[in-house]
Amino acid sequence: MKLAGTRVLVAGAGVTGRSVTETLTELGADVTVTDGNAERLAELDGLGATLEPGLDVPPEGTELVVTSPGWRPTAPLLQAAAEAGVEVIGDVELAWRLGQERERPPAWLVVTGTNGKTTTVGMLESILRAAGADAVACGNVGFAVLDAVRGGHDVLAVELSSFQLHWSATLAPRASVVLNVAEDHLDWHGGLEAYAAAKGTVHARSGTVVHNVAEAWSQRLADEYAPEGARRVGFRLDTPRPGELGIVEDLLVDRAYVGDPVQGAEELATLADVRPLGPHNVANALAAAALARAYGIPSAAVAEGLRTFTPGAHRAVVAGEVDGVRYVNDSKATNPHAATGSLLAQDGVVWIAGGQLKGASVDELVQGVAARLRGVVLLGVDADVIGAAVARHAPDVPVTRVDPGDHEPMTSAVNAAHTLATAGDTVVLAPAAASLDMFRDYAARGEAFTAAVDALRRERLGDGD
């Protein structure tokens, strides 16, 4: 990919834009960066690029546009570039092309889906490293894939969003998985079908296509996008068929990457190796194992990698125990599909929920978990929407609404949950909604929950402040 002397426009000056700009200037490209936020753009001063705020058309002579993933295809600048015949790609596509120029290109093992991506990629990285591979988790997990490629790693555990995949035209992973698809980012894509299609493109040039046989979208996208000649590997939460990974009693078992998948099977790990335990995380572990096995990782490393994996913050993390009640912080459950998995991992649940639903329905979620609910505490802008769903599908479950004027709404929510719970129950913060109506982000929401649980614990123990 010739970049020296090429006139490239970078759209967006955030984290991705900085990574792209640094790479392009180091490779000798003539780089211009644009962003509607002049202050953010100014932070790139000194990188050797021309900074132009608020461009609606590419500068004359532009030969390539590299866009940040959040920019929609309908953005005037990107539309103008397309109409002028200028290629528009994302940072992931740029990273792929640059990696292919290495003497030994890195192997890409790619994870996408609505929920579970970060956990699966973390498990995958841990498994790869347990086998001694030079591996790194990158992409939508906070470490730019472009920086990972430039770092010279042998194998990349890559989390990709639908935005990133939209701008990745020639990406050809060693193996790929779409974990699941549920309503999310519909405003960006224009509808569920388009959103799912963006996810499905991860398979279009993949060597091994992994899918969850119990997830309709995961199965459908594998069927529609797997290229001819690609290996197909399924996974399920029960006894695997030939060509699949699955569960036999308390064992994770492989019947895909074995000499005789009809007669043979290989034990990979036990359910006790998966943390935090729950059906959705077992599925994530099977997906990670399937991708790792596509890279040739031995079974012993799968077990070791899962045992040593540390779950990310605010993802089903136990925040404490008070009066025999566990408190679980799953603030990262920002949509109904994610919240469903979190709640189904428990038996008796007091559910703290609410925030910005972004138009998503919660009826199916409430129907699926109604039998487990001991109480519901609601907060945030869409509390009434969730409350109405609870009234329809779990009318006998007590519901408490936190007053939006409360000075410390999460403290009030945790205290209300405490009054609804009895010993043996679990209070779960799984909001099923975004956080920006009340908090800086989902992490701040999770931190507020953990602090409130700690304050409750100290109060019950008589520790005071």
Side-chain angles (χ1 to χ4, degrees), residues 96 108-114 158 160-162 164-166 168-181 195-213 215-235 257 287 290-291 294:
W96 170 257
W108 289 51
L109 306 175
V110 180
V111 178
T112 191
T114 302
V158 189
L160 294 184
S161 70
S162 57
Q164 291 169 313
L165 285 165
H166 180 88
S168 302
T170 68
L171 175 63
R174 173 78 63 88
S176 58
V177 64
V178 179
L179 298 172
N180 46 62
V181 175
Y195 168 60
K199 297 285 191 186
T201 58
V202 73
H203 293 322
R205 289 161 296 278
S206 184
T208 297
V209 172
V210 178
H211 64 280
N212 185 342
V213 299
E215 285 277 349
W217 273 111
S218 182
Q219 177 78 52
R220 174 179 162 183
L221 294 173
D223 291 340
E224 292 182 0
Y225 286 91
E228 185 176 353
R231 184 176 197 168
R232 292 285 298 273
V233 175
F235 64 91
Y257 302 97
L291 294 174

Side-chain angles (χ1 to χ4, degrees), residues 125-198:
E125 178 191 49
S126 186
I127 292 168
L128 292 166
R129 290 184 172 179
D134 176 18
V136 66
C138 57
N140 206 38
V141 295
F143 182 45
V145 65
L146 191 55
D147 294 337
V149 169
R150 293 166 66 201
H153 299 284
D154 291 337
V155 55
L156 310 180
V158 189
E159 175 187 330
L160 294 184
S161 70
S162 57
F163 303 161
Q164 291 169 313
L165 285 165
H166 180 88
W167 300 113
S168 302
T170 68
L171 175 63
R174 173 78 63 88
S176 58
V177 64
V178 179
L179 298 172
N180 46 62
V181 175
E183 290 184 340
D184 207 5
H185 303 304
L186 304 190
D187 52 347
W188 197 94
H189 291 280
L192 182 59
E193 289 282 340
Y195 168 60

Side-chain angles (χ1 to χ4, degrees), residues 435-455:
S435 59
L436 297 179
D437 59 327
M438 300 182 72
F439 300 93
R440 181 184 70 251
D441 50 28
Y442 77 82
R445 179 170 60 187
E447 289 162 2
F449 174 79
T450 300
V453 171
D454 187 57

Side-chain angles (χ1 to χ4, degrees), residues 313-367:
H314 314 295
R315 292 174 173 84
V317 177
V318 176
E321 184 171 319
V322 182
D323 297 336
V325 175
R326 286 198 317 157
Y327 290 77
V328 173
N329 169 18
D330 200 7
S331 184
K332 186 64 170 64
T334 57
N335 57 57
H337 186 273
T340 300
S342 185
L343 297 174
L344 288 177
Q346 311 298 332
D347 292 325
V349 179
V350 176
W351 178 28
I352 299 179
Q356 297 166 303
L357 287 171
K358 300 176 290 185
S361 170
V362 292
D363 283 275
E364 185 176 349
L365 159 59
V366 176
Q367 281 181 303

